[in-house]
Amino acid sequence: ARNNAMLLSALDTSRTVVCKAVITLGLDSSQTYNLLEVRKSGRGETLLEAGERPLQRVLLWPPEAQKWHPQTQGYYFILQQKQSNSGFNQDESRREDYDDLCSLQTVTDESILEVLRQRFYRLKIYTYARNILIAINPNRFLPVYYNPKYVQMYEKQPLGKLSPHIFAIADVAFRTMLKRQVNQCILISGESGSGKTESSSYLIHCLTALSQKKYSSGLERTILGAGPVLEAFGNAKTSDNNNSSRFGKFIQLNYLESGIIRGAVIEKYLLEKCRLVSRDKTERNYHVFYYLLAGASKEEQEEFHLLNPQDYLYLKQVEDNDEEEKLGQEYKRLHQAMEMVGFLASTKKHIFSILSAILHLGNVTYKLSENSQALEVGPAEVLTTLSDLLKVKKELLVKALTMKRIVTGKAFIVSQYTLQKASKVRDSMAKCLYSALFDWIVLHINHAMLNRRDMEESVSCLSIGVLDMFGFENLHTNSFEQLCINYTNEKLLHYINQNIFKLEQDDYVSEGITWQYIDCTDNSGCIQLLGRKSTGLFDLLDRESNLPQATDETLLEKLKQQHQNNPFFELSQTIRLAFTIQHFAGKVNYHIKDFREKNTEHMRPEVISLLRSSERSFLHHLVASSPAALFRWGILRATIRILTVFKNMARHRAEFGWYRCQTSLPQIPQRHETSQQSGLWSHLCFIKQNLMDSRSLQHVVDLTAHDRTSKSVFQPFQRTRPPTISTQFQASLSKLMETIEKAEPFFIFCVRSNAEKRELHFDGELVLKQIKCTGIVQMVNLQKSGYSAKYTFAEFVKKFRMLFPKGATASPAQITGLFERMELNKTTYQIGKTKVFLKKKERQLLQDTYNKEVMDHIIILQRWFRACLIRLHFLQKRDATRIIQVELEYTPHPYQMPNQNITKANRNPTIRISRATRALEWNASLDREITDPKELRQLDEFLGNQVNELQSRIKKLSPTESIFLTSTMQFRETIKSMYSVQPQIAYKDLMKGYHNKVNTLAGPTQQAEVSLVVNLFQSVLDGFIRAELKRMENEPAKVNATKVTKKRKKEKSPDSPLDHLFSTYQVNIMQSCDICGSYIWGMEKAHMCSVCKLICHKKCLGKITTDCSTRCDGSVRGSLHFGVQVCVLTSNANPVPKVVELLLLHVELNGLYTEGIYRKSGSACQARELHQILETNPESVCLDSYPIHTITGLVKRWLRELPDPLMTFSLYSDFLHATELPEKAERIRAIYQKIDELPPANYNTLERLIFHLVRVAKEEEHNKMSAGSLAIVFAPCVLRSPDAEDPFLSMKDVSKTTLCVETLISEQFRRYKEKMQNIEKLEHAEAMAVNQLKLKRQNTVRGIYKSGLYVCQSELNVPEQIHTDETEKTLIERIRSIKQEKVDLACRLPDLEQEHSDNENLDSCSSMSTESKVLSPPPGLIN
């Protein structure tokens, strides 16, 4: 097969590869084949499922084996013939794919381990235990696994329906929050290196994407940019993890009740500051230092005085295998992320300057002078660099590094540090400076994510919290930080056990149901050992830290005395000054060295004074005790400076004579004084606005005040010492537990696959240890034996009322009777004292039965309602028939009637009869069809001239002429509305439409004038047709006739091939191209289809070979025009389906004035007959033969029978959430934003339909159909719920769907009226210009007046040199321009574009109209 290589794409599945291989190799196609993957790791062959994509697995191979993979390299595929009696099949049948561990027959540690192992090697790293997710870290990015289409795939899907995925947990949490209106929390737990940081990034990515579908704003961009920034400054490479979080964080996303993201808050916990100055040899410092040194440009290297990593004491290490190019790319991504969260270029420079200063601070050295034993600090070049980077005086810097202040009573003495203490002070200064910088970054990210309306409005919000705390650690050397980290994990495990085991089982026991209690790990003893008041390790540490004479030995002795009999505590037998604690994950040895110093490490007052003396105000913010007060002072200082600059500028201008007054500001002329006062007032408003922002800044400070350890300043004169680090940490942890206890939790257990950080390697022993430590076996047993659904008796009966007999009460007997009638297995439910407990499967069966019962009731109601309605219609027709029969029996024959009234009714019988006959028997010329849009526009111009002529008459118009004038003016709107449609319509159809309009406007009092008006219009129309025919005979046919057509917004473009709708997409988490399969790194730009979520590089757009999967189904259809997808019925030539265009046009010409046009229904028999004709041959139908209500009924039927509604199932919830926005402008914008995501065929058809409904609503006075009435009728047709199983869901959404369609019709109606007003203004301007041209030419013969407009001789192929008057040319060009602008506006009448686009167009029209109005006669024209 080597000579028959096949080229595969990222979309090819195993089934596709097997088919291609069978054809290429000429194998027997009647046999069945399997595709297997082989790797040299020795774990055997892996069978690929039919839907798996082989290229994804190839990308996980070493780079040298990806392009060509011979067997000698150990990475290749096998095509194996499937045999029914082979041992392989028996093995596969044994190896069932368990998505949920609860489906295991026997639950043991070994069985769970084996399932996780098999799934891991099949690249299925996620597994459920009911609603708990277990995620195994593969130590490598899995291609395509987190692409946007996976967010869409798991959206609104029940948990367990699809393969386990972290996006499923995010979606369920999001939907649960919206459904129950309760805050949610997702807790991620696991050891260090288990992938918690990546999991939290995926959750935030999915949750913001779900909110973005409701309504996109800039806030999502800020939230997504915060993650990479915090990772760069707070994560580092450790022996267990290449991207270990060295701080804990709780990200709370706040939502409106509609699901639109409102804001976010990030709370951080206990940054590991000691890593900055010391760590194990195999570990690294924080990422940001390496990014800066590898990616900085030459200018930045000079500006920040950067050196090589090995030149810094704080960065020296044994080995570092990271490529410099990779680190440089990360630096660029960091820049982009900082811009996303709002950091200006100057702010980034300040941050990088401080980072460089911290690195240089580590290079400061000390020595004692040989003579005076004075402490000397150096080297001099390092001090100079530090002075420049921090913008402080060198003398003050040296003083802060060498001298300290000692308090004696009410005075203090300055003394120098010892040589050993000085190095610790230097390191402490570096740690405090970095901690302050990190606090400032978190503070300002929170300020950027805060919604300032929360400070002014009282809007109820919901939230989803994502907890990503540091994982359990047992390092070679464990210190104070590891003790805090492991204490946090003990608290989280206790919370998890309480929620999963104790609370649930206590409910079973209290209800008295049969239940066998399942025990779990109880770690309360370890928690008491560490956190108990007065006797806990942290309290003992605090007391020892406040004693000046205390040492590490005395602290260890105190711990021994207090806890020597505690089973969770023991002194280390092998390590001096160390103790051991029995944690849930095993024993951990802690070295007590530096516990006291780390617990009381605060920023020294000498350092505070040094930084406050800096010329760089940014450093003042880092050490400010009140950021809001400093912010207000900065505003005031800036205001004084600005006013001083203004005053100096005014004096400078006065001195140079720029103003008429040369003395002082009060003598400036009034208009300049007003301008200056206005500018000053606006500036004061700006100041006021920023002062309001200081309130929001203070609000953010209060939210994160619990862990601002860097702001704890040791003040020698204060009697009360600042709180210790452990005290602050315990307070922060308590606040966190209070927050998550108020929310409903979801749990994700992250598992480390191996300790060597090897890619796709499964260490069974390590995984088994984690399974035992976290109690997964007990969790699975509880989830398997427990009941996923529970209701109180009252809740159960209320929810399933229709399944109970009438008058049933909420009693156990009634509920038991229901279960017996449904023949439920008694082991699947239990009835307690006050609650009903059900298994998941039975609960779903109950819901399905309930939905079926509801549908049966609805069908019965519909059947009775229709029967009553048909009988009512029958009785009305019967009564009408009887009345007609009576009248025929008693009405005399016309020749028996007296004729004295005939003369009174008919003033001129001869003329009236002849004209009426002529109106009914139209000329044959009216059979002519309009096929050229130019002819339609010329007819509009011709009728406009007739209207202008009548309006210019001095003599009073007759009643006939008045009706003719009004009807023709309104009929011109009908013609203009056809500009964008451009139908093939006969003049006789226009005559019918005109006749209906005249008949409506005349009313019952002027019916005698109808025939006269129609005859007059026909004579006008005859004249135009004859002139048009003559023109066509005289003018030669143009081969390349230009057509002014409306450019559809949803046309296909090179950037949107095969019906995809691509837009630029900034990647926030690593993804892979769906076309070429290569990686798309974070912060890179890609192209994403907003419908099917296909993502690819820009260069891959031309390689796309598959249609948009959600646009058009190419399946064979049984229907021709009804019940098929819209895209099947459309093309470039017909952007709207023919049947729809035919029906809508007929209604617009014949039914706009019919009362209840879409409210009433037509004859069912005639509807079936017309439906059959339209289905087979719509071109042959004669719609005039059917009542108008039959035709309107077919319009609604066509919409209802679409397999995917016009506004699509995929966008249903998005449109509904858009209607829930509080402000009307936001609601309109969100609806139009979602309309832009419709497929082209749906978009164009919806645009045509809404324009039709606008025209119907315009005649509300006659047809009684308002925008709200039309929305009630059409909302169920164009916006249907995708969930057809739950009938109540659609009923609940009726008000929202109606509001959505009504908003759309009303907004388009408003835009329609604005555009028509602008067209009227343009016509008025055109008339003025034509009159000026008439006046100019009244005594000359240079042109021919045709259709109310002089046509230049140049237009009749006369050389342009004849025209010598530039004024005429200007007027003619002006008239042409106005005409073109009118056509463009008329063609854009149906547009469904965003408001800003319409405003720009209307503004241009308004400006042109205004300019035309004020067009004054050129010089000499009046003469």
Side-chain angles (χ1 to χ4, degrees), residues 13-239:
T13 61
S14 297
R15 184 188 294 108
T16 307
V17 173
V18 169
C19 293
K20 290 182 179 180
V22 169
I23 296 172
T24 305
L25 301 176
L27 302 178
D28 185 2
S29 60
S30 63
Q31 299 294 326
T32 305
Y33 300 90
N34 290 321
L35 189 66
L36 290 82
E37 179 196 17
V38 178
R39 296 189 188 180
K40 65 180 181 181
S41 55
R43 56 182 173 83
E45 303 161 351
T46 302
L47 174 68
L48 272 68
E49 294 181 355
E52 288 192 71
R53 298 190 174 112
L55 188 58
Q56 297 179 18
R57 292 182 172 266
V58 172
L59 292 174
L60 300 175
W61 295 353
E64 61 274 7
Q66 290 185 6
K67 187 173 183 181
W68 302 106
H69 29 272
Q71 295 185 8
T72 55
Q73 293 185 356
Y75 294 87
Y76 55 93
F77 290 104
I78 293 178
L79 188 67
Q80 186 180 67
Q81 184 174 341
K82 187 176 181 181
Q83 299 177 1
S84 58
N85 58 352
S86 66
F88 176 81
N89 269 340
Q90 295 174 3
D91 179 71
E92 183 184 357
S93 64
R94 275 197 314 271
R95 189 176 57 184
E96 188 176 350
D97 193 8
Y98 292 98
D99 283 347
D100 194 333
L101 294 176
C102 294
S103 59
L104 285 168
Q105 295 297 324
T106 56
V107 181
T108 62
D109 291 332
E110 290 72 19
S111 63
I112 291 177
L113 176 66
E114 187 59 29
V115 168
L116 295 179
R117 186 199 309 273
Q118 291 178 8
R119 292 181 60 83
F120 181 81
Y121 283 132
R122 295 166 70 90
L123 300 183
K124 296 182 177 182
I125 62 173
Y126 296 118
T127 309
Y128 289 137
R130 284 290 186 265
N131 59 346
I132 299 172
L133 183 70
I134 300 172
I136 304 181
N137 184 12
N139 292 312
R140 180 165 186 171
F141 172 73
L142 299 180
V144 191
Y145 216 50
Y146 305 100
N147 281 13
K149 65 181 178 183
Y150 276 82
V151 178
Q152 186 182 49
M153 180 188 302
Y154 284 89
E155 185 182 5
K156 303 190 185 86
Q157 298 297 327
L159 201 65
K161 182 177 180 180
L162 300 177
S163 179
H165 201 287
I166 195 169
F167 288 169
I169 296 294
D171 180 75
V172 170
F174 184 74
R175 287 190 293 111
T176 304
M177 177 193 69
L178 297 179
K179 182 178 180 180
R180 303 185 60 177
Q181 296 290 295
V182 178
N183 294 342
Q184 306 295 308
C185 179
I186 304 176
L187 276 74
I188 309 174
S189 65
E191 293 186 1
S192 179
S194 59
K196 298 185 300 301
T197 300
E198 294 299 321
S199 296
S200 66
S201 299
Y202 297 146
L203 287 172
I204 298 301
H205 169 77
C206 184
L207 290 171
T208 52
L210 291 172
S211 173
Q212 234 171 352
K213 290 178 67 67
K214 314 307 172 192
Y215 176 62
S216 179
S217 66
L219 184 60
E220 291 90 347
R221 176 181 169 86
T222 304
I223 295 173
L224 294 172
V229 174
L230 293 179
E231 282 190 23
F233 285 86
N235 288 27
K237 183 177 181 180
T238 67
S239 56

Side-chain angles (χ1 to χ4, degrees), residues 435-450:
S435 179
L437 177 62
F438 192 78
D439 282 349
W440 183 92
I441 290 174
V442 173
L443 175 69
H444 282 265
I445 287 177
N446 282 327
H447 193 261
M449 296 188 301
L450 175 71

Side-chain angles (χ1 to χ4, degrees), residues 233 256 300 406 431 480 511 531 654 887 897 944 999 1094 1112:
F233 285 86
L256 293 175
E300 289 175 325
I406 303 175
K431 290 187 287 185
F480 175 71
E511 285 293 319
E887 290 182 352
M897 296 177 62
N999 197 41
L1094 184 142
C1112 187

Side-chain angles (χ1 to χ4, degrees), residues 47 192 242 272 300 304 384 432 435 504 521 604 612 621 870 894 907 982 1114 1228 1231 1398:
L47 174 68
S192 179
N242 289 336
E272 187 186 30
E300 289 175 325
F304 304 140
T384 303
C432 290
S435 179
E504 187 73 16
T521 304
R604 301 287 301 177
R612 285 178 177 173
H621 291 277
I870 292 174
R907 294 186 297 268
Q982 297 178 3
I1228 293 174
I1231 291 175
D1398 288 336

Side-chain angles (χ1 to χ4, degrees), residues 44 235 249 316 630 657 777 849 854 857 1018 1029 1207 1287 1329 1339:
N235 288 27
K249 62 177 179 289
K316 284 184 178 180
L630 184 64
V777 173
T849 306
V854 171
H857 281 71
Q1018 182 177 347
L1029 292 173
M1207 299 176 77
N1339 295 323

Side-chain angles (χ1 to χ4, degrees), residues 120-121 136-140 191-194 239-241 751-767 770:
F120 181 81
Y121 283 132
I136 304 181
N137 184 12
N139 292 312
R140 180 165 186 171
E191 293 186 1
S192 179
S194 59
S239 56
D240 295 330
N241 190 355
V751 179
R752 189 161 52 136
S753 59
N754 62 85
E756 296 82 21
K757 298 185 287 187
R758 292 172 57 185
E759 296 179 355
L760 298 175
H761 176 69
F762 191 91
D763 186 344
E765 185 178 350
L766 179 62
V767 174
Q770 296 172 81

Side-chain angles (χ1 to χ4, degrees), residues 452-594:
R452 286 165 177 78
R453 293 181 183 175
D454 293 338
M455 305 297 299
E456 305 167 4
E457 304 174 5
S458 178
V459 179
S460 58
C461 288
L462 301 170
S463 68
I464 298 179
V466 178
L467 181 62
D468 174 24
M469 297 298 281
F470 9 59
F472 185 87
E473 290 187 342
N474 188 1
L475 307 179
H476 179 70
T477 302
N478 300 291
S479 186
F480 175 71
E481 292 81 9
Q482 279 67 47
L483 182 65
C484 295
I485 288 172
N486 293 340
Y487 174 66
T488 302
N489 282 271
E490 294 281 0
K491 293 280 286 186
L492 289 179
L493 180 66
H494 182 73
Y495 172 79
I496 292 171
N497 289 339
Q498 285 285 318
N499 278 270
I500 295 179
F501 291 96
K502 191 173 187 307
L503 296 180
E504 187 73 16
Q505 296 188 98
D506 287 351
D507 196 14
Y508 296 159
V509 173
S510 63
E511 285 293 319
I513 66 173
T514 304
W515 179 254
Q516 184 177 359
Y517 207 89
I518 299 175
D519 293 325
C520 64
T521 304
D522 184 11
N523 65 338
S524 57
C526 185
I527 294 176
Q528 292 293 325
L529 168 67
L530 295 172
R532 190 173 184 176
K533 295 293 184 183
S534 70
T535 60
L537 262 64
F538 286 123
D539 267 23
L540 295 175
L541 174 61
D542 285 348
R543 273 183 275 172
E544 284 295 304
S545 300
N546 292 328
L547 299 176
Q549 68 277 13
T551 61
D552 295 335
E553 289 80 359
T554 59
L555 172 60
L556 186 61
E557 185 63 27
K558 287 283 182 68
L559 299 180
K560 177 182 176 182
Q561 293 176 4
Q562 188 68 43
H563 299 289
Q564 60 183 349
N565 296 325
N566 194 313
F568 293 94
F569 176 87
E570 64 182 36
L571 293 180
S572 176
Q573 302 299 325
T574 59
I575 306 174
R576 183 177 175 273
L577 295 179
F579 61 92
T580 304
I581 293 181
Q582 177 66 50
H583 289 285
F584 71 93
K587 292 184 178 181
V588 179
N589 291 322
Y590 294 97
H591 295 253
I592 205 167
K593 185 174 182 292
D594 295 334

